[in-house]
Each structure stands twice: as structure tokens, then as C-alpha cells.
Amino acid sequence: QLNNVKSYVFAKKDYEFPPKHGNSIFYGDRFVLTNITANKSIGLTKEGKIQASGTLTTDPIFVQFLPKEVTRSLDQYLIVKNGDEVVLNIPQTGYVLKDVGGKVSWVLELNNSNNAFRIFTNAKGIGEILDYQDKIFLTSGNSSISYNQDFENLELSSESSENSLFKITPKIRV
């Protein structure tokens, strides 16, 4: 039946999504952000609502990094690098994590420079590509986002501690 069928393949020479970056973190990737010390993740209240303060829970939600300045789309597969300014967003909402007077809170606001944190890992140099196995911390000015065990929420702390380290677990595992 297929004797007279001709098939053609067109291969694009520059492949925009390099397979060697399969474990890299991309802007727009959905993931769970978990504090390593508490073994709790960013999540909702027991009632399933977004709490103003950055609450950690054992029932996580997926979040994503957005670039500080959003261009037309994230179709370009932009990779998150050590030292980048990122905005932490709940996908399909306008909620972003923001420094509100030393407290880390979810606010319903457009993405802008006032909502950006710097993402770092001590394992790599500035500008190197971040991977899902990296332990990261987020800073605002000279302070880092830290888990306050007494109040069970996130806050900015000028003291560097284990409470500031987070792991990122992707929504899709390959």
C-alpha cells in the first residue's frame, strides 16, 4: 500500500533546547521549593488558600521562577543561572513572593523589579547554569529568605544559616 509514498524530513540545524541541559532549571519550569532543614515546602493553608505570609507545609504547591523582566514569552527556553534575579510566582496566578518589610509574603502584583530575589548556590560560580540537584538560597539585598521555625513561615534574615537552604523538585521527572 505504501509503495508509491515519498517521505521528506527537514532537520533544523540549531536545536534551541539542548539535550545536555535536561537537568537545568528553566524559567517557567514548575517545581516544588522545599526548605532542607524543615523538610517543608511552600504551600497553601489547611483551608487550601494562599496565606499572605510565605508558609511552609507538608502539602506543597508548584511554583515557578520568572525573569525579573519578562519579554514577550518564555518560549526561548531561558536557563536560570547562579546570581540571576528571579521572581517566584504561583503559576496561572498573579501571586509573587515579595519582601514586605523583612517579611516574605505572597502579593497579588505584576512582575517587576521590586519582587525580584537573587538565586545562588555555593557549589557554582556566578553565571553558571543551575541544576535541579543544586541546593539554593534566595537573597534580597544583604538578607536571605530563611525559615523561621518559631513562627513556621519565611522571613528575611541577615544571618546565613541552614534554614536558608532550599532544594528544587521538578514537576516532571524524567
Side-chain angles (χ1 to χ4, degrees):
Q1 273 182 339
L2 300 174
N3 292 340
N4 295 325
V5 173
K6 291 183 181 181
S7 176
Y8 298 94
V9 176
F10 296 94
K12 188 175 180 182
K13 288 185 180 180
D14 358 334
Y15 195 64
E16 294 177 9
F17 186 80
K20 65 181 178 180
H21 294 294
N23 196 33
S24 300
I25 302 169
F26 289 85
Y27 287 102
D29 281 359
R30 310 268 168 103
F31 57 85
V32 172
L33 188 64
T34 305
N35 180 271
I36 294 171
T37 302
N39 199 29
K40 292 183 178 181
S41 306
I42 290 180
L44 303 175
T45 63
K46 292 176 184 172
E47 297 79 32
K49 296 181 180 179
I50 295 171
Q51 187 168 318
S53 63
T55 303
L56 296 184
T57 177
T58 54
D59 189 23
I61 59 170
F62 290 106
V63 293
Q64 66 185 349
F65 289 130
L66 297 176
K68 177 181 170 181
E69 294 180 19
V70 177
T71 54
R72 288 188 173 172
S73 71
L74 295 178
D75 294 339
Q76 301 164 346
Y77 298 110
L78 298 175
I79 297 175
V80 179
K81 296 179 182 172
N82 197 23
D84 277 2
E85 289 186 280
V86 298
V87 175
L88 197 59
N89 165 257
I90 299 174
Q92 299 178 338
T93 74
Y95 283 102
V96 295
L97 206 59
K98 182 176 183 174
D99 168 14
V100 181
K103 302 245 185 228
V104 179
S105 301
W106 290 109
V107 293
L108 194 56
E109 195 169 298
L110 293 176
N111 178 24
N112 65 35
S113 60
N114 295 331
N115 301 329
F117 294 95
R118 284 202 181 272
I119 184 170
F120 293 101
T121 182
N122 288 328
K124 296 181 177 173
I126 299 296
E128 289 188 52
I129 295 172
L130 294 179
D131 297 318
Y132 280 104
Q133 73 267 12
D134 291 329
K135 295 177 183 177
I136 60 114
F137 58 98
L138 298 162
T139 66
S140 177
N142 294 326
S143 301
S144 59
I145 295 178
S146 184
Y147 176 63
N148 183 322
Q149 294 177 341
D150 296 332
F151 296 103
E152 295 187 341
N153 65 1
L154 297 175
E155 64 183 13
L156 286 174
S157 174
S158 57
E159 297 176 17
S160 180
S161 74
E162 289 293 315
N163 290 339
S164 299
L165 288 177
F166 292 85
K167 66 180 180 180
I168 298 174
T169 306
K171 180 176 184 179
I172 298 173
R173 295 186 190 190
V174 181

Coordinates of all heavy atoms in Angstrom, one line a residue, residues 8 14 24 45 60 80 82 84 123 127 133 139 154 156 160:
Y8 N 9.8 13.1 3.4 CA 10.8 14.1 3.5 C 11.0 14.5 4.9 O 10.0 14.7 5.6 CB 10.6 15.3 2.6 CG 10.5 15.0 1.1 CD1 9.2 14.7 0.5 CD2 11.6 14.9 0.3 CE1 9.1 14.4 -0.8 CE2 11.5 14.6 -1.0 CZ 10.3 14.4 -1.6 OH 10.2 14.1 -2.9
D14 N 20.0 24.5 14.2 CA 20.3 24.9 15.6 C 19.1 24.5 16.4 O 18.0 25.0 16.4 CB 20.4 26.4 15.8 CG 20.4 27.2 14.5 OD1 20.7 26.6 13.5 OD2 20.1 28.4 14.5
S24 N 18.8 21.1 33.8 CA 18.9 22.5 34.2 C 17.5 23.1 34.5 O 16.5 22.6 34.1 CB 19.5 23.3 33.0 OG 20.7 22.8 32.6
T45 N -2.7 27.1 52.9 CA -3.2 26.9 54.2 C -3.9 25.6 54.3 O -4.2 25.0 53.3 CB -4.1 28.1 54.7 OG1 -5.3 28.1 53.8 CG2 -3.4 29.4 54.6
P60 N 2.7 20.6 49.5 CA 3.2 21.7 48.6 C 2.4 22.0 47.4 O 1.5 21.3 47.0 CB 4.5 21.1 48.2 CG 4.3 19.6 48.2 CD 3.4 19.3 49.3
V80 N 18.0 29.4 34.1 CA 18.3 30.1 35.3 C 19.8 29.9 35.6 O 20.3 28.8 35.7 CB 17.4 29.7 36.4 CG1 17.7 30.4 37.7 CG2 15.9 29.8 36.1
N82 N 23.3 31.0 38.2 CA 23.7 31.4 39.5 C 23.9 32.9 39.6 O 24.6 33.5 38.8 CB 25.0 30.7 39.9 CG 25.3 30.7 41.4 OD1 24.4 30.8 42.2 ND2 26.5 30.5 41.8
D84 N 21.3 35.1 39.1 CA 20.2 35.7 38.4 C 19.2 36.3 39.4 O 19.0 35.9 40.5 CB 19.4 34.7 37.5 CG 20.1 34.5 36.2 OD1 21.1 35.0 35.9 OD2 19.5 33.7 35.4
A123 N 27.8 26.0 45.3 CA 28.6 25.0 44.6 C 29.1 25.4 43.2 O 29.8 24.7 42.6 CB 27.7 23.7 44.4
G127 N 27.0 33.1 37.2 CA 26.7 32.9 35.8 C 26.7 31.5 35.3 O 26.3 31.2 34.2
Q133 N 19.7 19.5 41.1 CA 20.3 18.9 42.3 C 21.0 20.0 43.2 O 21.4 19.7 44.3 CB 21.3 17.8 41.9 CG 22.6 18.2 41.3 CD 22.5 18.3 39.8 OE1 21.4 18.2 39.2 NE2 23.6 18.4 39.2
T139 N 18.2 35.6 47.9 CA 18.5 36.8 48.7 C 17.8 38.1 48.2 O 17.3 38.1 47.1 CB 20.0 37.1 48.6 OG1 20.4 37.5 47.3 CG2 20.9 36.0 49.1
L154 N 8.3 32.1 56.3 CA 9.5 32.6 55.7 C 9.7 34.0 56.1 O 8.7 34.8 56.2 CB 9.4 32.4 54.2 CG 9.3 31.0 53.7 CD1 9.1 31.0 52.2 CD2 10.5 30.2 54.0
L156 N 13.0 37.3 56.0 CA 14.4 37.7 55.5 C 15.3 37.8 56.8 O 14.9 38.3 57.8 CB 14.4 39.0 54.8 CG 13.8 39.0 53.4 CD1 13.7 40.4 52.8 CD2 14.6 38.1 52.5
S160 N 23.3 34.1 57.8 CA 23.3 32.9 56.9 C 23.2 31.7 57.8 O 24.0 31.5 58.8 CB 24.6 32.9 56.1 OG 24.6 31.8 55.3

